[in-house]
Amino acid sequence: MSEAINTRAIIAMSGGVDSSVAAALCLEQGYQCAGVTLKLYKGESSCCSLADVNDARNVANSLGMDHYVLNFTEEFDDKVVRHFVETYEAGATPNPCIECNRSIKFNLLLLRARQLEFDLLVTGHYARITKDPVSGRYLLLKALDEKKDQSYVLYCLTQQQLSMSLFPLGALTKNEVRKIAEDKKFINAKKGESQDICFVPDGDYGNFIEAYTGKTYPHGDIIDLEGKVIGSHKGLIRYTIGQRRGLGVAANTPVYVAAKSTQANTVTLAKEDALYTKSLCANDINLITCEDLKKPLRVMVKTRYLQAEQRAVARQIEDDKLFIEFDSPQRAITPGQAVVMYDGDIVVGGATII
């Protein structure tokens, strides 16, 4: 408490229950707090709407906190939405939540917090931060509630960012968070979870990308593993590795997207067994527990947010390239997604699958 009394914390308040409870817990711990809500997207969005801003302000007022709104729409468009579109155009599948954390919340917002002389950035993420007494490095850990754990989308945080961040919900369950919100009579105590990608609320990525770019993406051939044409696709941006629905191809057995070629403008379909591979390469590395991997490291790995962890060995084969070999073949490893490595509850680091 004595340290907290003189520590100024800015709370990123989305209007949801998690960040609201994070604010309340920080106040109880003695931090000097102010809330901030980010306006991120100009069009229709499942977050940062006027209603969300009003919910955040209502909670801040009930807690006796100042509340501000920062307009980051141009930066969000440049760093997150454009990255999303360009990644799809390149034939990969992005994770915009990771890019938003990397470029906006823990970069631009943290810089703004420092300019305003705040010491900490607080968010409602379900994860934990601690400091290793031996190495002196800040560590990112899973939340105690593994069903809500968000460490996967936070692997990109640097040592400096971790040193200035606080996740008060890391040791709580979602039910406990809701109970705190109800006890405090927060207006958003029973508010639902935000789903999917906030700036594509209807989930139709293809239509969104075409509207955003003003382009029409050329149709092309759907082929099998032998190169035989078996159908026509509606533009590569509408397909991702492992996809089964919406293929428009009649087959006696279920088939899935196994590959895409931007050069040939083709989508390759195959039976499910063709989706399995034993290794991957990744770049854009961010390591948390160490500066680099000096030798092969036995780790647990996730290649998508909701995947169960898989046993693997990670090798850093270049300054910015990881090679990860799994104990058993993995289904639908997808370029553009993140591969995140764990040692127990500790996030070793991660990278972007190429």
Side-chain angles (χ1 to χ4, degrees):
M1 175 72 80
S2 59
E3 288 185 13
I5 289 174
N6 295 316
T7 303
R8 302 184 72 226
I10 195 163
I11 323 294
M13 300 182 71
S14 65
V17 65
D18 293 330
S19 54
S20 298
V21 170
L25 294 176
C26 283
L27 282 169
E28 288 178 0
Q29 292 167 20
Y31 292 100
Q32 299 178 39
C33 298
V36 61
T37 301
L38 303 183
K39 177 61 178 171
L40 296 177
Y41 189 61
K42 299 174 185 176
E44 181 184 354
S45 170
S46 62
C47 70
C48 67
S49 66
L50 182 59
D52 293 322
V53 173
N54 289 336
D55 285 349
R57 181 174 288 127
N58 183 292
V59 170
N61 289 342
S62 74
L63 293 171
M65 287 169 42
D66 289 335
H67 177 261
Y68 307 97
V69 178
L70 296 180
N71 188 336
F72 281 171
T73 52
E74 289 188 11
E75 294 88 346
F76 184 79
D77 181 76
D78 182 52
K79 300 292 186 181
V80 180
V81 182
R82 191 176 305 279
H83 176 269
F84 174 85
V85 170
E86 290 177 349
T87 302
Y88 262 108
E89 287 181 326
T93 304
N95 188 319
C97 294
I98 291 174
E99 201 56 41
C100 185
N101 285 332
R102 187 199 323 260
S103 301
I104 307 296
K105 293 175 184 172
F106 294 93
N107 183 18
L108 294 178
L109 178 55
L110 201 49
L111 289 172
R112 186 65 59 88
R114 294 180 70 182
Q115 291 169 356
L116 297 172
E117 298 184 343
F118 284 91
D119 305 295
L120 288 175
L121 170 63
V122 179
T123 74
H125 285 104
Y126 286 83
R128 293 175 290 156
I129 299 171
T130 189
K131 192 172 185 180
D132 185 345
V134 177
S135 68
R137 294 181 70 87
Y138 287 88
L139 302 178
L140 176 66
L141 282 71
K142 297 177 193 172
L144 291 187
D145 184 350
E146 289 213 17
K147 291 182 180 179
K148 293 300 298 179
D149 174 54
Q150 292 173 294
S151 60
Y152 176 87
V153 296
L154 296 167
Y155 84 86
C156 54
L157 298 189
T158 65
Q159 286 295 299
Q160 183 181 34
Q161 290 165 347
L162 288 168
S163 74
M164 293 185 62
S165 300
L166 184 64
F167 304 141
L169 308 188
L172 300 176
T173 66
K174 183 71 177 195
N175 288 339
E176 289 171 332
V177 168
R178 290 245 186 235
K179 179 67 165 55
I180 292 170
E182 289 169 5
D183 290 346
K184 295 186 177 297
K185 297 182 171 53
F186 286 166
I187 192 172
N188 53 13
K190 296 183 179 180
K191 192 172 184 177
E193 305 276 358
S194 58
Q195 300 292 331
D196 298 318
I197 295 172
C198 65
F199 54 89
V200 193
D202 66 356
D204 192 332
Y205 306 151
N207 282 351
F208 172 83
I209 292 169
E210 288 190 340
Y212 181 86
T213 62
K215 299 177 185 177
T216 300
Y217 293 87
H219 293 203
D221 291 334
I222 295 177
I223 60 176
D224 62 18
L225 289 176
E226 284 72 46
K228 178 183 175 183
V229 176
I230 56 175
S232 176
H233 69 71
K234 299 176 182 179
L236 292 183
I237 59 167
R238 298 180 181 276
Y239 302 83
T240 189
I241 303 300
Q243 180 177 333
R244 178 183 174 186
R245 295 181 178 176
L247 301 178
V249 172
N252 295 327
T253 58
V255 289
Y256 304 81
V257 176
K260 301 192 296 180
S261 170
T262 54
Q263 288 186 328
N265 191 32
T266 56
V267 172
T268 301
L269 302 188
K271 295 179 183 177
E272 187 172 20
D273 58 4
L275 299 179
Y276 286 82
T277 51
K278 279 205 70 173
S279 64
L280 64 82
C281 283
N283 64 6
D284 200 13
I285 301 169
N286 184 66
L287 296 174
I288 295 176
T289 59
C290 56
E291 288 290 337
D292 50 44
L293 301 183
K294 299 187 184 304
K295 59 183 180 180
L297 184 66
R298 169 63 69 173
V299 288
M300 300 296 289
V301 168
K302 293 174 71 169
T303 58
R304 53 175 52 86
Y305 183 37
L306 296 177
Q307 182 193 32
E309 292 174 20
Q310 304 295 320
R311 298 180 184 277
V313 173
R315 295 175 176 85
Q316 190 168 351
I317 55 177
E318 295 177 15
D319 286 346
D320 192 33
K321 185 174 286 187
L322 289 179
F323 178 78
I324 293 178
E325 188 169 11
F326 295 91
D327 287 13
S328 57
Q330 300 300 303
R331 185 185 185 279
I333 293 174
T334 305
Q337 292 286 292
V339 54
V340 179
M341 304 172 290
Y342 293 86
D343 179 4
D345 282 348
I346 299 171
V347 179
V348 175
T352 303
I353 299 167
I354 55 175

